[in-house]
């Protein structure tokens, strides 16, 4: 299995125990005769001070988990114009908690209203009655529905890994006459899967780093990251990361994903994402020098697609927002936001 593809692979993830207060999953026979509310499985992340958790009900009846954190009151910098909201989209084996841990407190204290979403079948979001969580189209549609109903002004959309690919699909929808995708004030792609998907990543790993390819395949396709602390650290984090912290995040990852984000074969058949921007939307493309999943060429491909210069953050790994040097990436994004022109597309 390909390294990046594996994090959204079609393999069935282990089913987690459901809270006793949740109803049992309906059998196929019952589902045919009576529509029941989709299950939500708990992902045991304790919110920090100033954070709130709620559900966003989609038109299809599914609920998306939303972890929000508003700027402190009064604002830390009097006289500063109102900051645009930030909407965060996670990748595979993660959920809204991965942003709530470090970056939501950081950016909310800088004056930005922050919203982290858990995609379908991730975190505490509802589980659809399918073998996968959704498609690029359904995930972007869910994000659009949330922004349209709950975010009053055009936000900055920030996506990590496969969440970055979802953000790219959202951007492509802004170029046509798409009435269901609200405008953005900008977008940030963090260690993102490139627009063509992970095929190029796969072959480069196999040809140049076969041992690394085997490790990534074991870690993601076989989900060995869930049972091996060293492999989890090597896949997602820097070698300097404290083992106790890696173990905590490893346990949250194991609980986060009830279904794969995509049917990988169908996803690959739909790529690359459509031609993306006419230059009116500000886009920041970021990568990590110690990324074990997305290589330098993958970062460059994404940057070329949007005709921007990539930023490679030194000394951090794939999970930039959780890594021991998480402040490095956050500071670069904040500097970019401070210079962002007040326009939307």
């Amino acid at each position: 299995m390909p390294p990046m593809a594996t994090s959204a692979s079609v393999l069935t993830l282990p089913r987690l125990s459901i809270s006793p207060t949740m109803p049992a999953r309906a059998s196929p026979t019952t589902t045919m005769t009576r529509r029941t509310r989709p299950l939500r499985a708990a992902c045991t992340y304790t919110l920090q001070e100033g954070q709130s958790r709620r559900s966003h009900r989609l038109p299809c009846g599914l609920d998306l988990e939303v972890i929000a954190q508003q700027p402190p009151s009064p604002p830390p910098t009097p006289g500063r114009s109102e900051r645009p909201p930030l909407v965060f989209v996670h990748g595979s084996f993660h959920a809204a908690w991965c942003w709530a841990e470090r970056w939501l407190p950081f950016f909310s204290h800088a004056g930005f209203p922050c919203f982290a979403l858990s995609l379908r079948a991730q975190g505490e979001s509802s589980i659809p009655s399918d073998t996968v969580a959704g498609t690029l189209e359904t995930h972007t549609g869910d994000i659009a529905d949330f922004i349209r109903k709950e975010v009053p002004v055009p936000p900055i959309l920030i996506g990590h890994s496969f969440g970055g690919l979802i953000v790219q699909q959202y951007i492509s929808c802004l170029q046509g006459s798409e009435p269901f995708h609200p405008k953005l004030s900008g977008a940030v792609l963090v260690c993102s899967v490139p627009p063509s998907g992970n095929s190029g990543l796969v072959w480069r790993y196999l040809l140049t780093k076969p041992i690394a390819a085997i490790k990534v395949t074991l870690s993601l396709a076989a989900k060995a990251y869930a049972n091996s602390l060293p492999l989890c650290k090597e896949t997602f984090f820097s070698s300097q990361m404290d083992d106790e912290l890696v173990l905590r995040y490893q346990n949250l990852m194991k609980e986060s994903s009830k279904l794969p984000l995509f049917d990988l074969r169908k996803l690959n058949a739909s790529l690359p994402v459509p031609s993306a921007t006419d230059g009116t939307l500000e886009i920041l493309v970021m990568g990590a020098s110690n990324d074990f999943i997305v290589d330098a060429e993958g970062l460059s491909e994404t940057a070329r697609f949007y005709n921007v210069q990539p930023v490679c953050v030194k000394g951090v790994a794939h999970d930039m927002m959780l890594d021991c040097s998480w402040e490095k990436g956050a500071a670069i994004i904040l500097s970019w936001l401070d210079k962002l022109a007040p326009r939307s597309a």
Side-chain angles (χ1 to χ4, degrees), residues 167-214:
V167 171
Q168 293 174 51
Q169 177 71 19
Y170 190 106
I171 293 170
S172 72
C173 292
L174 299 174
Q175 306 310 308
S177 55
E178 295 280 352
F180 300 113
H181 290 73
K183 293 180 179 180
L184 301 176
S185 291
V188 181
L189 305 175
V190 182
C191 300
S192 177
V193 176
S196 63
N198 56 339
S199 298
L201 297 170
V202 171
W203 284 108
R204 286 193 296 273
Y205 268 101
L206 289 173
L207 294 174
T208 64
K209 300 178 180 179
I211 295 177
I214 293 171

Side-chain angles (χ1 to χ4, degrees), residues 35 56-62 120 141-142 145-146 148-149:
R35 185 178 181 86
H56 173 76
R57 177 61 58 88
L58 297 169
C60 64
L62 297 174
R120 299 183 184 200
D142 293 348
D145 187 77
F146 170 77
R148 184 169 57 253
K149 295 176 180 176

Side-chain angles (χ1 to χ4, degrees), residues 14-18 22-23 25-26 36-42 60-64 119-134 255-260:
R15 181 171 295 179
L16 302 178
S17 58
I18 306 298
M22 295 291 182
R25 184 186 291 273
T36 60
R37 183 177 179 180
L39 291 177
R40 288 186 296 165
C60 64
L62 297 174
D63 289 335
L64 295 186
L119 300 170
R120 299 183 184 200
Q122 319 300 311
E124 294 193 10
S125 293
S126 300
I127 307 171
S129 56
D130 205 341
T131 56
V132 296
E255 295 176 351
S256 290
S257 188
K258 288 47 158 199
L259 293 174

Side-chain angles (χ1 to χ4, degrees), residues 88-99:
F88 296 85
V89 184
H90 65 83
S92 295
F93 303 129
H94 293 66
W97 63 265
C98 73
W99 305 106

Side-chain angles (χ1 to χ4, degrees), residues 220-241:
L220 300 176
K223 289 177 279 296
Y225 82 89
N227 300 309
S228 169
L229 191 69
L231 194 55
C232 182
K233 176 185 277 191
E234 188 171 10
T235 304
F236 297 106
F237 305 108
S238 295
S239 59
Q240 300 86 357
M241 189 85 158

Side-chain angles (χ1 to χ4, degrees), residues 8 89-90 119-120 132-144 157 161-173 181 192-197 260-274 306:
V89 184
H90 65 83
L119 300 170
R120 299 183 184 200
V132 296
T135 64
L136 278 179
E137 290 74 21
T138 57
H139 290 313
T140 55
D142 293 348
I143 294 167
L157 199 54
S161 197
F162 265 109
L165 188 65
I166 294 170
V167 171
Q168 293 174 51
Q169 177 71 19
Y170 190 106
I171 293 170
S172 72
C173 292
H181 290 73
S192 177
V193 176
S196 63
L261 284 180
F262 306 102
D263 180 319
L264 191 59
R265 294 181 183 88
K266 292 181 180 179
L267 174 67
N268 286 334
S270 70
L271 296 174
V273 296
Y306 294 103

